Amino acid sequence: MGILGLFLLLPILMALWVSLTSWDGQGSPFTGDVGFVGLDNYSRLFLQDGLVRRDFMTSLRNNAWYVLLVVPLQTVFALALALLLNQRLRGRGFFRTAFYFPSVTSSVAISLVFLFLFTGSGTVNALLGLVGVDGPTWFADPRGTVHLLGDALGLWDAGSPPSWLAGTTVGGLSLWEWVAGPSVALCAIIALVVWTTTGTFMLMFLAALQDLPHDVTEAALVDGTNRWQRFRHVVLPQLRPTLFLVLTLGLIGTWQVFDQVYVMSQGNPAKTTLTPAFLSYLYSFRQNEWGLGAAMAFVLFVIIIVLTALQRFVMRDRDDVRERRELRAQRRAGRRTQGAAR
Amino acid sequence: MSTAVRTTSRTPAAAAGRPRPRPSRRRGWRALGYAALVAVAFLYLYPFLVQLVTSVKTDADATQDPLALVPDPLTWGAFERLAQTDFPLWFTNSVVVTLVVTAGRVLFCSLAGYALSRIDFSGRAGLFGLVLAIMAVPPVVLLIPKFLVLNQLQLYDTYAALMVPLMADGAGIFIMKQFFDRIPVSIEEAARIDGAGTLRTFWSVVLPMARPAVITLTILAFQASWNELPHYIVASQDPDLYTLTKGVASLTSGQLGSGNQFPLTMAAALLMTIPVAVVFVVFQRFFVTGANEGGVKG
């Protein structure tokens, strides 16, 4: 317990202190020599125009797009695979093993493999070449996919963006930069992460599916429902707690992406794979701006807490609403039967 | 969870008379399901196949013919070159660190879990609450705090720095406590009446009964410390202390120059995957419980 306390609780307070200083990594940050700067580091992240704010906002943008894609994709794929595997099939064990295996292997090893798969002359592009598509040089391509998509659909010209987007800046980045979408390079990392994490979440869904009471599904079957109705109105509502868990874990995990960025891109190309976690490491450990690095880590901490709380609120609220509605319906029905009895 | 949809149990006659989907449609669904599963399984195993095949290719072959699943010519060159890098050192470091961390984590987590489950002391509920709170803290946020503590204790850049902070974790304590909670107290009382102390009871009576939980914990600890990267990055900088993850990650960022030495990196990836793969195949069902138990922490 001592180890736990020593390495988890006290340190957070120490880091909070460092985030209020301009410590440069020399000596101890807990002596009188260290410059106390108050909230200046935080102000540099959010208010003061400059490279620091640009970097930080860029990393937030990248990570937000990343979360927006990874969380839904991994949840839907995991659920789909679990539903497939929940049938009585031959070779179920094999499939389960195959899907889960990437989750237990080293992120470094997997990242190396994906670096090779997605390299300019690599496997993915060779496969794309077979169907006549000229693949991009994935990890050297900083173009935003939303920019590209809009360009392809004729919404805008990515070369000269509409002025209302390019002209308005929020937090040091223009709206045009905010809506860039994940860069092509980040998409390769997204593919890797979805591929890796789906297996774990599939196991959670599978465990929940196997715990479902049989008689409920049977009853629905007797009532003549089709496959989709059974899934939508019988299975899915019962999976709510698992869905909630998977989404929460996904949200927490995706805001912490570090390993893949460290191994595959180090934030490049053009900072489009920079994430707050990696940036915090970069500023503190590489550039010795420990105050800034610690401040970034705390902002990240707050983002994760707020988002999980928000998600909890949204999902729990709907549950409450439904319960209240059901209660009201029951009461009404009760009154009616009472009336009939009278 | 609400069971609002639960209906009264049907009579067997009603169950027997339910409309069954036509067999042909059923078979169609099944075939479709199988096709999807096989396709996805291929997608999941293909990268590992590429890793294996590429590691025995030559550099030129890997670059020119990335799709070929037969190396031409087959060569062990990548492994030989890997042996001349610091790879053997990294591997040794990883083995040592992983063994120590795993042993430490099993010991400390089971002791702490036992204390939280059985020993009555004031503030026990509060302490357990603290463990749960700690599990909720995102690990990435703790990188700088960890460094600060190691730095303050003057442990930075030592073997101890690589190992000690990983030796206890909230999830492990949680798993052990949950398990001990399920073991009836009466058995320990029998041991205590026979004159065994708390530690003795723990060691000879309780721990053997908790074998499944201990195995789960061992495997999770092994896998986690073998694959760990960020902690090793912030705990040291001395090249002599590089573990596999940190060392192999450095292969991509410049150590080899700019050449496309993919067979070399694939060989490195392969060698670091094999130990976990072996443990995974042998102890798969414990991984599954581990994933689900770990999920409970939410």
Side-chain angles (χ1 to χ4, degrees):
Chain A
M1 293 313 290
I3 297 182
L4 260 183
L6 181 65
F7 274 97
L8 289 161
L9 197 66
L10 184 70
I12 296 181
L13 296 176
M14 291 162 76
L16 196 59
W17 164 254
V18 169
S19 80
L20 304 175
T21 69
S22 58
W23 186 50
D24 63 355
Q26 298 298 309
S28 164
F30 309 106
T31 60
D33 311 335
V34 173
F36 181 80
V37 296
L39 292 175
D40 189 52
N41 288 324
Y42 293 92
S43 138
R44 281 172 76 192
L45 295 186
F46 289 103
L47 303 174
Q48 296 170 33
D49 205 12
L51 181 68
V52 174
R53 181 169 79 159
R54 252 198 91 75
D55 280 355
F56 189 61
M57 290 299 159
T58 308
S59 77
L60 287 182
R61 175 203 64 183
N62 298 338
N63 215 333
W65 283 108
Y66 172 89
V67 172
L68 213 59
L69 280 164
V70 172
V71 173
L73 283 177
Q74 70 189 10
T75 308
V76 170
F77 285 157
L79 182 57
L81 287 181
L83 286 170
L84 276 174
L85 279 190
N86 196 37
Q87 299 164 332
R88 238 170 271 123
L89 291 170
R90 218 169 297 145
R92 214 163 74 157
F94 165 77
F95 287 121
R96 197 180 60 179
T97 308
F99 301 155
Y100 184 47
F101 186 54
S103 305
V104 302
T105 53
S106 151
S107 56
V108 175
I110 297 233
S111 296
L112 288 181
V113 177
F114 270 65
L115 263 183
F116 174 58
L117 294 178
F118 279 92
T119 186
S121 60
T123 317
V124 171
N125 278 356
L127 278 173
L128 287 176
L130 289 183
V131 292
V133 177
D134 198 9
T137 51
W138 296 89
F139 283 106
D141 196 335
R143 290 176 300 164
T145 44
V146 172
H147 281 175
L148 292 176
L149 199 68
D151 199 66
L153 294 174
L155 288 178
W156 51 56
D157 173 15
S160 62
S163 56
W164 64 275
L165 280 176
T168 327
T169 51
V170 177
L173 293 187
S174 71
L175 280 184
W176 175 248
E177 286 170 294
W178 281 107
V179 302
S183 68
V184 175
L186 191 58
C187 284
I189 297 184
I190 288 172
L192 158 72
V193 172
V194 171
W195 180 79
T196 325
T197 50
T198 298
T200 313
F201 295 132
M202 175 202 71
L203 282 187
M204 291 180 190
F205 279 126
L206 204 54
L209 281 172
Q210 282 164 358
D211 280 349
L212 289 189
H214 261 295
D215 49 348
V216 178
T217 332
E218 293 262 304
L221 215 69
V222 174
D223 290 344
T225 51
N226 67 27
R227 212 167 256 268
W228 169 252
Q229 286 171 327
R230 276 201 301 280
F231 170 69
R232 177 64 192 82
H233 298 292
V234 180
V235 176
L236 202 57
Q238 296 186 83
L239 284 182
R240 261 183 95 78
T242 318
L243 195 63
F244 177 74
L245 177 72
V246 167
L247 286 173
T248 309
L249 291 178
L251 212 56
I252 297 175
T254 43
W255 275 101
Q256 297 190 69
V257 55
F258 177 88
D259 293 17
Q260 292 80 3
V261 175
Y262 180 87
V263 177
M264 299 172 93
S265 65
Q266 301 263 323
N268 294 317
K271 301 193 175 171
T272 57
T273 61
L274 216 50
T275 63
F278 185 73
L279 194 67
S280 158
Y281 158 80
L282 218 55
Y283 267 95
S284 38
F285 288 87
R286 299 259 183 95
Q287 298 175 14
N288 284 320
E289 299 238 38
W290 289 86
L292 278 173
M296 286 174 190
F298 271 98
V299 174
L300 184 59
F301 193 12
V302 171
I303 289 176
I304 293 174
I305 289 176
V306 167
L307 283 178
T308 22
L310 199 72
Q311 191 226 359
R312 189 162 288 223
F313 173 76
V314 168
M315 290 192 80
R316 180 170 287 168
D317 196 37
R318 247 196 285 155
D319 247 8
D320 275 357
V321 170
R322 182 183 304 150
E323 252 162 51
R324 252 179 275 136
R325 201 180 298 149
E326 265 166 22
L327 218 70
R328 241 179 286 138
Q330 264 173 22
R331 236 179 279 138
R332 233 177 293 136
R335 245 178 277 138
R336 219 172 296 140
T337 43
Q338 269 174 15
R342 235 179 269 143
Chain B
M1 113 136 282
S2 84
T3 46
V5 255
R6 188 188 290 275
T7 54
T8 51
S9 59
R10 307 265 159 169
T11 58
R18 70 179 178 214
R20 282 195 155 273
R22 266 170 295 142
S24 64
R25 256 186 76 189
R26 233 200 147 100
R27 217 171 293 143
W29 270 109
R30 180 156 287 220
L32 206 70
Y34 258 120
L37 281 176
V38 170
V40 180
F42 180 72
L43 204 67
Y44 268 76
L45 294 177
Y46 183 69
F48 294 105
L49 198 61
V50 168
Q51 175 183 314
L52 181 70
V53 173
T54 310
S55 70
V56 288
K57 283 184 174 180
T58 59
D59 285 0
D61 186 22
T63 316
Q64 277 155 22
D65 209 351
L67 281 183
L69 290 179
V70 181
D72 173 35
L74 189 138
T75 166
W76 299 106
F79 291 93
E80 281 158 19
R81 267 178 295 148
L82 203 58
Q84 281 150 31
T85 64
D86 281 341
F87 190 85
L89 170 75
W90 304 334
F91 201 94
T92 319
N93 281 342
S94 265
V95 169
V96 172
V97 169
T98 301
L99 288 180
V100 175
V101 167
T102 305
R105 203 181 270 195
V106 170
L107 181 68
F108 289 125
C109 288
S110 47
L111 276 174
Y114 183 70
L116 285 173
S117 170
R118 286 297 151 79
I119 302 173
D120 248 330
F121 56 95
S122 62
R124 185 173 79 167
L127 210 53
F128 185 56
L130 191 72
V131 172
L132 292 179
I134 284 166
M135 289 200 301
V137 179
V140 158
V141 173
L142 293 174
L143 291 183
I144 293 176
K146 267 186 189 169
F147 166 80
L148 292 174
V149 174
L150 292 172
N151 195 37
Q152 205 63 22
L153 297 177
Q154 305 192 329
L155 282 175
Y156 181 72
D157 241 356
T158 63
Y159 267 110
L162 299 181
M163 300 186 279
V164 177
L166 294 181
M167 280 193 190
D169 82 318
I173 295 177
F174 184 77
I175 290 178
M176 293 313 290
K177 182 196 178 286
Q178 297 299 91
F179 196 89
F180 288 135
D181 281 349
R182 269 175 270 164
I183 298 180
V185 189
S186 50
I187 298 169
E188 288 154 67
E189 277 164 359
R192 200 149 302 146
I193 290 168
D194 290 348
T198 302
L199 218 57
R200 171 80 206 206
T201 315
F202 171 75
W203 189 253
S204 332
V205 180
V206 181
L207 211 52
M209 278 194 296
R211 236 181 68 166
V214 170
I215 296 177
T216 303
L217 192 64
T218 309
I219 287 162
L220 289 183
F222 164 79
Q223 182 239 3
S225 48
W226 183 264
N227 292 342
E228 175 67 41
L229 170 69
H231 173 69
Y232 300 143
I233 291 177
V234 303
S236 68
Q237 57 180 8
D238 186 349
D240 285 342
L241 294 179
Y242 273 27
T243 55
L244 263 183
T245 46
K246 203 176 161 186
V248 172
S250 75
L251 284 179
T252 56
S253 49
Q255 268 224 347
L256 299 167
S258 54
N260 278 354
Q261 301 201 35
F262 286 116
L264 184 82
T265 54
M266 291 305 104
L270 181 68
L271 289 178
M272 69 194 287
T273 306
I274 287 175
V276 176
V278 169
V279 172
F280 176 66
V281 169
V282 177
F283 295 101
Q284 210 204 122
R285 73 194 169 94
F286 292 100
F287 268 98
V288 174
T289 25
N292 286 320
E293 294 257 353
V296 176
K297 71 187 181 170

